[in-house]
Amino acid sequence: MMRTRPLKVALLGCGVVGSEVARIMTTHADDLTARIGAPVELAGIAVRRPGRVRAGVPEELVTTDATALVKREDIDVVVEVIGGIEPARTLITTAFEHGASVVSANKALLAQDGAALHAAAEQHGVDLYYEAAVAGAIPLVRPLRESLAGDKVNRVLGIVNGTTNFILDKMDSSGAGYSEALDEATALGYAEADPTADVEGFDAAAKAAILAGIAFHTRVRLDDVYREGMTEVTAADFASAKQMGCTIKLLAICERAADGRSVTARVHPAMIPLTHPLASVREAYNAVFIEADAAGQLMFYGPGAGGSPTASAVLGDLVAVCRNKVAGTTGPGESAYTRLPVSTMGEVVTRYHISLDVADKPGVLAQVATVFAEHGVSIDTVRQQGKDGEASLVVVTHRAADAALSATVEALRKLDTVRGVASIMRVEGE
């Protein structure tokens, strides 16, 4: 039987994503009603600058008093797309206190305070959904949280930032330098005026924290995620990658240790074989590769940002939360029963590609090989090129711990025959 009283929704934020959410709620109202089992009504839109509200947004619903909006007793669901830590955190907890469920796209807040927000939602008997916080329109959070709930996820490897993937893709396909590729990304609207959050890996690190927590049923905060940006990646790195049959991607990597006693979460540029599915992800697209015991290897691919794709994820959560309201229940909350510790980057084991500038004279290779051996790092391949007394030495290792590799590099810098370390790149996906 259809419920006649409408479910009322408060929208916090009306920018690119928020305005698209409002548009879809208005134009698809009949379909949403049929899918939910009750009418759904946009009851208020909180913004900071009412003069900037986009065309098509009902002006009579706009307010600058977000606190008063979320405190309204008739509000059933709050959709938060304003981003940042405050006032979003206070508004969300206030909504919980007044009996409203929350749909959020706020990756930074969830990565920092997800545990506290989940606890508050559980205390007040409401939902907290956030599919749009990771990888835009790609269904990822719900499959990890629900579809794979009976499986054991061992690894999540993904491209979760469209800006960085666009830049690296252009560097790979055209031979452009980082600055040129960034300028093109900015001109096309893929990069913000200040791209720091993207190119330095902050955005991807927040998403990695969320994915690791869900995948491994443990609490992973943003501070637990090792982060390295991609601004130092050069055309020479791509040339080296091509010689190895690889390309370079900025990857978010979440792994369960082989003994199952800890997890790691990290974001950094890495060489990845051209045979790996992630290597073919082009332009500003996102993709996440999941490895699980029973399901095996799964690939999720699609647009990772933008108004319409992100709004699609928001609306999916809105339908799920509203259905729960109609049924008088709540969906799955936080699952952190494993309480696994998060290992440091020094304990991570992977392969490495190291490019050294060395003197072009006899005995250099033997000296370098000795340093690697002394630190327990096994060499897979070596390539040397020399001219006019200078040379480059490219070393690819077998799998080694990051701490051992770091100690090796420090020792190499002390050799008189080593002029400098041109680059260090991890090799993943093998």
Side-chain angles (χ1 to χ4, degrees):
M1 183 176 177
M2 180 74 69
R3 165 177 159 163
T4 56
R5 186 181 77 79
L7 291 159
K8 295 195 175 184
V9 178
L11 177 60
L12 306 182
C14 200
V16 174
V17 176
S19 59
E20 189 66 8
V21 169
R23 184 192 68 78
I24 295 173
M25 285 188 66
T26 302
T27 58
H28 295 183
D30 291 342
D31 286 338
L32 292 174
T33 296
R35 294 167 191 174
I36 292 167
V40 59
E41 176 185 310
L42 187 57
I45 304 170
V47 299
R48 285 188 299 172
R49 302 180 182 89
R52 295 188 180 181
V53 173
R54 294 170 182 260
V57 175
E59 293 184 12
E60 67 275 12
L61 298 181
V62 174
T63 177
T64 57
D65 194 342
T67 301
L69 179 59
V70 299
K71 283 183 175 181
R72 279 175 45 177
E73 298 301 325
D74 63 333
I75 296 297
D76 296 289
V77 182
V78 171
V79 174
E80 182 270 311
V81 289
I82 56 177
I85 305 302
E86 288 292 355
R89 175 171 48 196
T90 298
L91 291 170
I92 288 173
T93 54
T94 301
F96 291 155
E97 291 165 2
H98 287 76
S101 292
V102 172
V103 172
S104 176
N106 196 329
K107 53 188 172 287
L109 178 58
L110 289 158
Q112 178 172 303
D113 289 326
L117 293 175
H118 274 294
E122 183 177 1
Q123 177 186 351
H124 296 286
V126 293
D127 279 322
L128 172 62
Y129 277 46
Y130 44 89
E131 184 67 67
V134 182
I138 304 173
L140 190 59
V141 170
R142 195 174 292 115
L144 273 174
R145 190 166 64 176
E146 300 177 28
S147 303
L148 295 174
D151 208 339
K152 179 183 178 184
V153 176
N154 296 308
R155 195 175 199 224
V156 179
L157 177 75
I159 298 165
V160 294
N161 183 276
T163 300
T164 54
N165 199 59
F166 180 89
I167 292 170
L168 292 173
D169 181 45
K170 289 302 174 185
M171 292 177 69
D172 185 25
S173 61
S174 70
Y178 167 75
S179 296
E180 297 171 80
L182 174 59
D183 288 343
E184 184 175 353
T186 304
L188 293 172
Y190 291 124
E192 301 286 346
D194 179 2
T196 302
D198 295 322
V199 299
E200 294 295 349
F202 290 101
D203 175 84
K207 295 169 182 175
I210 295 169
L211 291 175
I214 299 170
F216 306 132
H217 302 276
T218 195
R219 287 177 177 170
V220 180
R221 300 180 74 250
L222 181 58
D223 292 344
D224 296 322
V225 181
Y226 172 83
R227 178 195 54 78
E228 184 182 318
M230 42 76 74
T231 57
E232 300 302 317
V233 176
T234 65
D237 291 326
F238 274 101
S240 293
K242 287 180 179 180
Q243 289 181 333
M244 289 180 60
C246 293
T247 188
I248 298 172
K249 299 291 185 181
L250 184 75
L251 298 177
I253 306 169
C254 312
E255 292 179 306
R256 188 190 301 267
D259 61 9
R261 296 180 180 177
S262 64
V263 300
T264 58
R266 49 197 166 102
V267 169
H268 54 71
M271 293 183 180
I272 190 167
L274 294 175
T275 53
H276 194 282
L278 290 178
S280 61
V281 178
R282 307 293 302 276
E283 300 286 332
Y285 278 80
N286 283 195
V288 177
F289 196 75
I290 295 175
E291 299 174 12
D293 273 1
Q297 297 178 335
L298 305 171
M299 177 85 159
F300 297 82
Y301 169 86
S308 294
T310 305
S312 172
V314 170
L315 267 295
D317 276 352
L318 179 64
V319 169
V321 168
C322 286
R323 284 173 174 169
N324 291 342
K325 286 281 185 180
V326 171
T329 186
T330 56
E334 182 189 34
S335 175
Y337 72 93
T338 63
R339 296 183 173 86
L340 294 173
V342 182
S343 298
T344 64
M345 188 62 190
E347 299 171 80
V348 170
V349 176
T350 190
R351 296 181 68 205
Y352 292 86
H353 175 283
I354 304 103
S355 180
L356 304 172
D357 294 326
V358 299
D360 187 14
K361 61 183 183 180
V364 173
L365 180 56
Q367 283 186 319
V368 169
T370 298
V371 170
F372 275 89
E374 288 173 346
H375 290 86
V377 179
S378 175
I379 294 176
D380 182 17
T381 61
V382 178
R383 186 175 72 254
Q384 184 173 5
Q385 294 177 321
K387 183 179 180 181
D388 299 329
E390 297 296 329
S392 64
L393 195 64
V394 176
V395 178
V396 179
T397 74
H398 288 289
R399 290 175 65 83
D402 189 86
L405 193 283
S406 296
T408 302
V409 171
E410 287 306 307
L412 289 171
R413 295 182 192 276
K414 295 176 182 178
L415 294 178
D416 291 339
T417 51
V418 175
R419 310 297 193 211
V421 179
S423 70
I424 302 172
M425 187 79 66
R426 296 171 182 86
V427 183
E428 301 285 349
E430 296 185 314

